Amino acid sequence: MVQFRCHGCGAVVDAAAVRPFRCPNAGATVDDIDHVLVAEAFAAEWPAGSETNPFLRYRALLTAYRVARSVGLSDDAWGDIVGELDEALVGVDGRGFRITPMGEQAALAQALDLSGRLWIKDETGNVSGSHKGRHLAGVMLYLRVLEAAGLPAGIGLRRNRLAIASCGNAALAAAVVARAADWPLDVFIPPDANPAVRARLAELGAGITICERRAKEAGDPCVLRFREAVAGGAIPFSVQGPDNGLAVEGLRTLAFEMADGFAEAGLVPDALFVQAGGGALASGLVQGFDLARRLGRLPRVPKLMVVQAQGCAPLVRAWERLPGLDLADAARRRSRFMWPWEKVPASIAGGILDDEAYDWWAVALGMRASGGGAVVVSEEVLARAHDEARRHTGISVSATGSAGLAGAIGYPADGGVIAAVFSGVER
Ligand SMILES: Cc1ncc(COP(=O)(O)O)c(C=O)c1O
């Protein structure tokens, strides 16, 4: 059985029978539990294949594949499902999922006066120009498996529209993947969303709802409107763990690729700097690196260093309230650690301005287990990292995309290796 367990209340879900999106106990009663469904550990070998599509190479570690096999679909049938989506992605976006580049960036390390060697994983050329498509491909492949296998959890599925809340990159990725799968999508975006992004969303056929902040309403209005749509029957095509446990899992492929790259280079970075908004990027990396360690691909995991902007740092605020506390206990008292940022979030790194870090708990677990921590960076430091990154790597990364690197400036690396992800392209 392919099981998910809620890290807050312990509820268990069989992913072949019930969609492992939101925990079944979330919202059922008024509680203060951090409900997020997480794929349960299972016995596996580290995938040793050489496929260039991560959803093929790492298929044995993916829920969608495991569900497919457990209900009788063949390995070839999985190949067809992935291949079909990939071909359609090429038609819609000019590219499918491929292992993205990673390498040492010595000139950039020098320009930023880093005291260690710097490795950068470059997601700017990934589907739709960011890492976000990984979250959504994980969800879409699962939906396709439910359909292909004729499982009860898939009956009537196509009648439901997909829905996502986002300020840009996630909505774009969702629109590309949804279009490739020929599935209607509604996106909930803020009024100040990049006009170019908005135009592309319309071109891709997404239904667009502009979400204004409402007086006396706490939290991100896009998320609030999205949750209303889901309550009305929409499928949470989300990049946040609490809304869809599968979303975080798809992102693990990024960590798998990095783990393979580091293993081939014979190194483990001392620290991995990760920009966090909602926190699913960091959460997926934590889970993926942990799996790589458990399956013997890496001897240890890097310290997880989470980076947020001064203008919006709810995850750092939560982290600072956690020392000495039992994390399992903290998961049952969510509101003491996580609540919406009181001021209207602002930064040049606009992609990490989530009012709440929805995946805070799993990220805190990763920070604690790895001996990492959290960094708040100023606008000046974000701008410096962004300028030098583009100048010295030739990668057209956005300020959000280089925000993790900003956190590495001044870190005492003592000659060790530090790593960061350039998570999105400049638009
Ligand atoms: C390019 C880019 N990097 C990083 C992030 C942060 O990801 P998360 O919200 O999962 O923390 C985002 C989120 O929108 C993004 O667009």
Side-chain angles (χ1 to χ4, degrees):
M1 190 157 72
V2 184
Q3 283 195 169
F4 278 64
R5 184 181 297 270
C6 176
H7 73 204
C9 72
V12 172
V13 163
D14 169 2
V18 176
R19 302 171 204 162
F21 297 164
R22 197 162 181 237
C23 170
N25 293 332
T29 54
V30 180
D31 62 29
D32 199 14
I33 296 175
D34 191 66
H35 294 279
V36 182
L37 290 175
V38 183
E40 286 255 85
F42 52 92
E45 303 257 307
W46 183 259
S50 56
E51 298 90 344
T52 55
N53 182 323
F55 293 95
L56 290 178
R57 179 170 317 176
Y58 303 109
R59 62 191 181 283
L61 305 181
L62 299 173
T63 291
Y65 177 79
R66 296 179 59 236
V67 168
R69 298 311 306 274
S70 75
V71 298
L73 290 185
S74 65
D75 195 51
D76 284 348
W78 173 261
D80 291 345
I81 290 171
V82 173
E84 218 173 85
L85 181 65
D86 208 61
E87 214 171 285
L89 285 169
V90 173
V92 173
D93 195 50
R95 59 200 150 182
F97 288 100
R98 295 292 174 273
I99 309 278
T100 56
M102 182 171 77
E104 186 166 1
Q105 297 288 351
L108 178 56
Q110 200 178 4
L112 293 174
D113 302 314
L114 302 187
S115 61
R117 291 165 57 200
L118 174 68
W119 280 60
I120 294 291
K121 175 75 166 168
D122 179 11
E123 287 284 284
T124 61
N126 207 341
V127 169
S128 83
S130 78
H131 69 282
K132 295 282 187 185
R134 293 180 187 267
H135 292 292
L136 297 158
V139 179
M140 181 51 75
L141 290 170
Y142 171 78
L143 295 175
R144 294 287 298 110
V145 165
L146 294 185
E147 283 190 311
L151 292 176
I155 291 169
L157 207 55
R158 281 269 171 182
R159 284 199 295 273
N160 299 323
R161 294 172 71 86
L162 305 170
I164 185 167
S166 161
C167 64
N169 284 322
L172 267 184
V176 165
V177 175
R179 182 63 182 263
D182 197 21
W183 209 307
L185 168 76
D186 290 316
V187 297
F188 296 85
I189 59 173
D192 58 354
N194 180 333
V197 171
R198 223 159 119 171
R200 179 71 179 137
L201 288 173
E203 203 176 278
L204 289 163
I208 300 174
T209 302
I210 308 291
C211 308
E212 305 274 354
R213 281 188 185 268
R214 294 180 186 171
K216 298 203 180 110
E217 192 177 67
D220 182 342
C222 303
V223 173
L224 296 169
R225 302 294 86 78
F226 153 82
R227 287 189 175 152
E228 287 163 11
V230 171
I235 296 169
F237 204 45
S238 168
V239 291
Q240 286 149 0
D243 294 304
N244 193 326
L246 276 169
V248 173
E249 202 203 53
L251 194 280
R252 291 177 180 183
T253 55
L254 176 57
F256 300 156
E257 291 179 23
M258 294 175 79
D260 266 337
F262 290 133
E264 279 156 24
L267 61 89
V268 181
D270 176 47
L272 170 63
F273 285 84
V274 184
Q275 55 278 53
L281 168 60
S283 171
L285 286 170
V286 165
Q287 293 178 15
F289 272 104
D290 189 51
L291 204 47
R293 182 193 55 78
R294 279 196 279 125
L295 301 186
R297 189 54 171 151
L298 291 178
R300 60 181 186 283
V301 299
K303 288 185 191 121
L304 175 68
M305 302 296 295
V306 162
V307 183
Q308 292 206 292
Q310 239 163 25
C312 184
L315 181 49
V316 180
R317 182 179 63 190
W319 175 245
E320 286 169 353
R321 294 179 146 233
L322 284 166
L325 300 182
D326 176 21
L327 279 181
D329 194 39
R332 278 177 248 110
R333 292 186 292 156
R334 184 181 196 276
S335 63
R336 293 182 56 168
F337 304 95
M338 185 52 58
W339 64 92
W341 197 244
E342 281 90 353
K343 296 197 190 122
V344 175
S347 171
I348 57 165
I352 50 171
L353 293 182
D354 299 67
D355 291 49
E356 281 184 59
Y358 305 97
D359 285 285
W360 67 282
W361 190 86
V363 179
L365 185 68
M367 287 193 273
R368 189 176 276 190
S370 66
V375 191
V376 174
V377 284
S378 66
E379 291 302 294
E380 218 179 323
V381 172
L382 285 166
R384 180 172 172 220
H386 186 213
D387 289 346
E388 301 290 17
R390 286 175 301 170
R391 186 169 305 134
H392 294 283
T393 63
I395 300 170
S396 177
V397 63
S398 66
T400 300
S402 59
L405 172 66
I409 298 174
Y411 177 76
D414 297 330
V417 173
I418 52 184
V421 179
F422 281 1
S423 52
V425 74
E426 183 94 291
R427 300 196 192 275

